[in-house]
């Protein structure tokens, strides 16, 4: 499978995925492109250093659909089959979701359906939960609401701040995201092999 990754910032989950493809842990042919909607996203340099092509596609004054259409075109141009959102801070338009049915996934730093959206760790602290964590899920038209693929729990400590909790969850995100993508790529490869075996 060819993977495309969308980022808006730091890109640590993107790095975890790129490195796992590079080491063979994820059985994908390549990360074909990293696309950012922010020209100053720190993740862009990290991707380039790893030899991955990067493209910046800013929203500018366009509609969400126009912006997404350009991203879809860049993904299709490279034959991307699995789109991984990794800190991509925009809600995808319905045509984007429809262009890659069940092939867009996201990582979110809470145990969904609890605490969707932004300021997630502060939401968890304010609610007083003792367990939080992270979720990999399929992307649908609603924010952080698609079918859940995998989750990992992280204990909330009494003296946690949003920052300390975020840092411990982020560590788990990296392994969870790699494992989820590994499973998807493995299943897809087996499916393709059984189809070619049938032919
Ligand atoms: C992560 O916490 C991810 O769960 C959320 O945004 C953050 C992105 O971090 N969607 P990074 O850019 O992958 O370092």
């Amino acid at each position: 499978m060819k993977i495309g990754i969308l980022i808006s910032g730091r890109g640590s989950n993107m790095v975890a995925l790129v490195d796992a493809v590079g080491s063979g842990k994820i059985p994908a042919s390549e990360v074909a492109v990293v696309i950012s909607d922010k020209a100053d996203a720190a993740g862009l340099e990290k991707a380039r250093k790893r030899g991955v092509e990067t493209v910046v596609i800013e929203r500018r004054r366009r509609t969400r659909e126009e912006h997404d259409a350009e991203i879809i075109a860049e993904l299709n141009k490279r034959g991307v089959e699995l789109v991984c959102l990794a800190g991509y801070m925009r809600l995808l338009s319905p045509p984007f979701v429809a262009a890659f049915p069940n092939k867009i996934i996201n990582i979110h730093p809470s145990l969904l359906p609890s605490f969707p959206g932004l300021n997630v760790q502060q939401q968890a602290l304010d609610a007083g939960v003792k367990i939080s964590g992270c979720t990999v899920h399929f992307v649908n038209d609603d924010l952080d609401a698609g079918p859940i693929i995998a989750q990992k729990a992280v204990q909330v400590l009494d003296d946690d701040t949003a920052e300390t909790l975020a840092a411990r969850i982020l560590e788990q995100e990296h392994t969870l995201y790699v494992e989820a993508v590994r499973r998807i790529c493995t299943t897809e490869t087996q499916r393709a092999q059984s189809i070619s075996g049938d032919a």
Side-chain angles (χ1 to χ4, degrees):
M1 277 190 117
K2 280 195 181 186
I3 295 175
I5 305 179
L6 269 56
I7 64 169
S8 295
R10 181 178 54 189
S12 70
N13 279 290
M14 175 275 295
V15 165
L17 294 178
V18 168
D19 289 350
V21 171
S23 72
K25 201 166 184 178
I26 293 176
S29 57
E30 61 169 339
V31 175
V33 67
V34 168
I35 298 177
S36 173
D37 65 322
K38 299 271 181 259
D40 61 354
L44 287 168
E45 187 51 33
K46 297 175 190 170
R48 283 184 210 121
K49 268 200 186 135
R50 286 166 172 78
V52 179
E53 187 188 359
T54 61
V55 180
V56 174
I57 306 176
E58 289 173 304
R59 168 84 177 260
R60 297 191 300 274
R61 274 174 294 280
R62 295 177 290 178
T63 65
R64 188 156 61 116
E65 283 74 12
E66 286 166 346
H67 182 222
D68 282 357
E70 191 181 340
I71 297 174
I72 294 168
E74 291 295 329
L75 293 168
N76 282 337
K77 206 157 65 179
R78 292 168 180 82
V80 166
E81 297 158 287
L82 179 68
V83 181
C84 299
L85 309 187
Y88 184 66
M89 301 302 286
R90 288 181 187 280
L91 183 62
L92 305 192
S93 61
F96 194 159
V97 174
F100 295 90
N102 295 322
K103 291 288 183 290
I104 309 178
I105 63 176
N106 181 42
I107 179 123
H108 181 79
S110 76
L111 294 177
L112 292 170
S114 293
F115 316 130
L118 296 175
N119 301 320
V120 177
Q121 286 81 20
Q122 195 55 54
Q123 289 189 55
L125 293 177
D126 291 346
V129 296
K130 301 300 174 201
I131 303 282
S132 189
C134 45
T135 303
V136 177
H137 64 94
F138 288 108
V139 172
N140 63 13
D141 292 344
D142 301 313
L143 183 65
D144 299 328
I148 291 170
I149 299 167
Q151 291 187 307
K152 177 87 197 223
V154 172
Q155 199 181 345
V156 180
L157 305 177
D158 288 343
D159 59 354
D160 259 334
T161 62
E163 289 70 32
T164 58
L165 180 57
R168 285 206 316 289
I169 292 176
L170 188 65
E171 262 179 53
Q172 299 306 320
E173 289 183 41
H174 298 158
T175 42
L176 188 76
Y177 213 0
V178 166
E179 177 54 22
V181 175
R182 188 191 69 73
R183 268 172 28 208
I184 290 170
C185 289
T186 304
T187 308
E188 201 52 41
T189 308
Q190 286 164 350
R191 205 181 59 86
Q193 279 166 353
S194 83
I195 290 170
S196 71
D198 289 348

